[in-house]
Amino acid sequence: MKVPFLDLKTQYESIKDEINAAIQEVLDSCAFAGGPFVQAFEKQFAEFCGCDHCIGVGSGTEALWLALLALGVGPGDEVITVPNTFIATAEAISFCGATPVFVDIDEKTYTMDPQKLEDYLQARLHDSRPPGLQAAMPKAVIPVHLYGQTADMDPIMAIARKHGLYVIEDACQAHGAEYKGQPAGSIGDAGCFSFYPGKNLGAYGEAGAVTTNNTQLAGQIALLRDHGQSEKYYHDKIGWNARMDGIQGAVLGVKLNHLSAWNQARRQRAEVYGNLLSGINNLILPYNADDTAHVYHVYAIRTRNRDALLRYLADNNIYCGIHYPVPIHLQAAYSNSNIQNNGLDVSKRVCSELLSLPMFPELTQEQQIRVRDKIQEYNLSPQYDLPDLRGRQSAQRTQS
Ligand SMILES: Cc1ncc(COP(=O)(O)O)c(C=O)c1O
């Protein structure tokens, strides 16, 4: 039996008629770049996120970049984020001419540790260098809702407000996730989403969006994504072409109607994994904080023998992923930059232990049992060295 990491084809088959009809409508109307299908999706997604505005763009990377630009982030500014995220979070900061600064993550949720954020900002406040050498306080913070679980937003918002920082939620992996009943993307000054095909809400190409309740900010982002023009060929500011395609808007409009059911199916698969895997030693299962509704974009377990287990599963036709193998501050792309790394011990440690198991709404119980059987088989095999992780099992909570 083959267990793919995700299965976009099966999902497409289940909604083929609706999707094909929606694409045909775009073809018939020739509204290919921006236009009514994008506008309809923007309205629908803003409502889904409990926000006043949604601005469709070309990707999650553009969503982050334009949100930062619209908030005035530019050369000389610092923006704080975490190192265990997709590189786009940091690239968006760098592409504004600003500098990414990293604070560490919480060992259970793998999202930004609010205490580390506060520690960093306190250290900056008490900078003992002569005034001329002191840098300005950071301008913004980007917590990442990693794997489909929101970061601990109450303390992050309180700390950010205390120090005058904007908050941009990187919700690229968290469509439909909630924090204390608030939808991801509705908590900070802006929320940024990716609709990359493999996401919980995935386009059939590239797409992204920014959500916000700030009307002025929404207007700025809408200008920036369309060459700064308020009227055709009248350019109020220098912008870019970051429009969403009409076909993606139409596809996303259809798929959004299914998202809540798909997220529920992911939660159910997470619960099944929790029950199947909880008896196996040397694994730490995902932690779902009480006050969050997790949408399991990624189901990541932890083991010290990650690379060997990954190979063993692949040899048995079970395909896993690693999110992410190298923290951003250690990536070659950032090796020459003057990035401060503030005791990023948790990020450095977990990146060699995290293994993302197959997870998608159409995953069958049979496939999940196969995954369990092969992990168990690997663990029982005497040829593998099994360091004891039990001391760290306090981080474990199964999805019961
Ligand atoms: C956390 C995070 N941020 C940003 C992005 C960038 O989104 P996109 O690939 O649509 O540009 C992604 C996509 O993988 C992501 O997972």
Side-chain angles (χ1 to χ4, degrees):
M1 182 197 293
K2 188 175 168 184
V3 189
F5 182 62
L6 55 101
D7 184 352
L8 298 181
K9 180 109 168 93
T10 300
Q11 186 174 84
Y12 168 60
E13 293 294 341
S14 73
I15 52 171
K16 192 173 188 164
D17 292 346
E18 284 178 89
I19 290 284
N20 289 2
I23 291 177
Q24 190 60 54
E25 241 191 288
V26 181
L27 298 179
D28 289 340
S29 69
C30 296
F32 296 123
F37 299 96
V38 172
Q39 283 162 13
F41 170 70
E42 288 173 335
K43 188 165 178 293
Q44 199 186 344
F45 195 64
E47 267 165 36
F48 180 82
C49 294
C51 284
D52 293 340
H53 307 281
C54 166
I55 306 98
V57 294
S59 67
T61 309
E62 284 182 345
L64 288 160
W65 179 50
L66 297 190
L68 286 163
L69 283 178
L71 287 168
V73 172
D77 290 331
E78 274 185 13
V79 177
I80 303 171
T81 190
V82 288
N84 71 321
T85 174
F86 184 53
I87 195 159
T89 318
E91 282 175 327
I93 300 167
S94 301
F95 255 57
C96 294
T99 304
V101 175
F102 299 105
V103 297
D104 213 353
I105 53 168
D106 171 74
E107 179 133 21
K108 285 195 207 172
T109 62
Y110 314 126
T111 61
M112 182 178 280
D113 182 338
Q115 188 58 52
K116 297 285 163 50
L117 174 65
E118 175 67 7
D119 291 348
Y120 176 69
L121 290 166
Q122 284 299 337
R124 288 297 310 279
L125 272 179
H126 300 108
D127 191 342
S128 56
R129 289 176 297 178
L133 294 178
Q134 289 177 11
M137 286 296 278
K139 191 119 178 203
V141 56
I142 309 183
V144 179
H145 301 328
L146 197 76
Y147 300 158
Q149 176 157 247
T150 54
D152 193 1
M153 290 306 290
D154 275 357
I156 290 173
M157 289 301 294
I159 294 164
R161 293 300 181 234
K162 184 170 77 179
H163 295 279
L165 274 63
Y166 293 117
V167 179
I168 298 177
E169 296 169 67
D170 184 333
C172 287
Q173 302 186 2
H175 320 71
E178 288 179 9
Y179 177 81
K180 298 188 178 171
Q182 298 164 270
S186 71
I187 306 164
D189 295 290
C192 296
F193 290 85
S194 162
F195 304 121
Y196 184 74
K199 298 293 197 238
N200 289 27
L201 180 60
Y204 288 163
E206 302 277 356
V210 184
T211 52
T212 182
N213 287 314
N214 180 331
T215 303
Q216 210 218 337
L217 181 64
Q220 288 301 306
I221 296 168
L223 271 186
L224 286 170
R225 69 140 176 215
D226 193 17
H227 299 292
Q229 60 185 353
S230 48
E231 210 183 312
K232 199 161 174 72
Y233 301 136
Y234 289 86
H235 306 273
D236 300 353
K237 61 196 303 176
I238 297 170
W240 200 254
N241 175 1
R243 295 181 296 254
M244 184 189 278
D245 289 353
I247 286 180
Q248 303 314 332
V251 166
L252 289 166
V254 169
K255 293 184 80 179
L256 183 52
N257 294 327
H258 298 272
L259 181 60
S260 297
W262 287 334
N263 281 344
Q264 190 48 36
R266 285 174 182 270
R267 285 190 193 105
Q268 192 272 340
R269 269 85 186 152
E271 195 175 324
V272 169
Y273 268 143
N275 292 332
L276 289 171
L277 301 175
S278 59
I280 301 180
N281 285 339
N282 304 311
L283 294 184
I284 295 177
L285 304 186
Y287 175 84
N288 184 184
D290 286 339
D291 42 17
T292 67
H294 202 315
V295 291
Y296 292 99
H297 173 56
V298 166
Y299 187 93
I301 60 169
R302 262 168 78 194
T303 171
R304 292 242 187 99
N305 289 34
R306 194 267 312 278
D307 293 341
L309 177 58
L310 175 78
R311 276 194 300 277
Y312 185 78
L313 293 174
D315 287 346
N316 285 281
N317 290 322
I318 296 169
Y319 298 99
C320 299
I322 297 177
H323 300 93
Y324 295 89
V326 181
I328 296 179
H329 67 291
L330 300 178
Q331 292 281 358
Y334 280 102
S335 60
N336 293 329
S337 60
N338 190 19
I339 287 177
Q340 305 186 41
N341 79 55
N342 305 286
L344 304 170
D345 300 342
V346 179
S347 300
K348 274 185 262 178
R349 185 164 63 241
V350 301
C351 71
S352 62
E353 298 177 346
L354 285 162
L355 179 69
S356 311
L357 298 185
M359 169 54 82
F360 48 92
E362 299 77 16
L363 186 66
T364 66
Q365 190 152 350
E366 220 188 345
Q367 288 174 316
Q368 291 193 273
I369 289 170
R370 175 81 176 170
V371 173
R372 189 271 315 271
D373 288 350
K374 289 296 158 190
I375 292 176
Q376 208 159 36
E377 198 174 284
Y378 164 87
N379 265 12
L380 292 173
S381 166
Q383 76 196 79
Y384 297 103
D385 165 39
L386 290 174
D388 192 358
L389 274 181
R390 265 166 301 190
R392 292 206 244 139
Q393 289 290 325
S394 56
Q396 173 176 336
R397 191 185 129 189
T398 57
Q399 317 300 318
S400 53

